[in-house]
Amino acid sequence: RTKGLPELSRATGIKYHLFLSHIWSSGQDQVALIKGRLQRAMPAVSIFLDVDDLQDISKLEECVEASALILIFVSKGYFA
């Protein structure tokens, strides 16, 4: 076991290691906490969170496509 940080590479065309999907009304605070904790543990990680990274809602699909992984935070109203 090493105490070093993990190497976080990305494939060509991938901007984000992780895309956080949530519903604003019941998941915003929780995903912000998840993002913050992951960034503290892995400072080089690139995580998409709409309030931080989305400038134009019409670009949302492009951001999903530019992400290696998607974490869906299911909370009240997500599938409504």
Side-chain angles (χ1 to χ4, degrees):
R1 181 185 247 206
T2 68
K3 294 187 179 186
L5 295 174
E7 182 179 326
L8 298 171
S9 60
R10 288 177 275 181
T12 303
I14 298 297
K15 182 176 181 180
Y16 304 102
H17 293 107
L18 180 63
F19 181 100
L20 294 173
S21 177
H22 66 287
I23 187 164
W24 269 63
S25 61
S26 62
Q28 184 66 38
D29 294 342
Q30 292 88 343
V31 291
L33 183 64
I34 291 168
K35 180 179 179 178
R37 289 192 178 171
L38 286 170
Q39 287 178 321
R40 278 196 303 277
M42 298 177 289
V45 73
S46 178
I47 300 173
F48 178 92
L49 181 58
D50 57 0
V51 296
D52 298 334
D53 303 295
L54 187 62
Q55 314 248 321
D56 179 352
I57 190 68
S58 70
K59 305 286 185 190
L60 187 61
E61 285 185 35
E62 291 175 26
C63 295
V64 171
E65 290 176 8
S67 301
L69 299 169
I70 299 172
L71 183 145
I72 300 173
F73 186 84
V74 179
S75 58
K76 184 178 181 181
Y78 190 88
F79 293 109

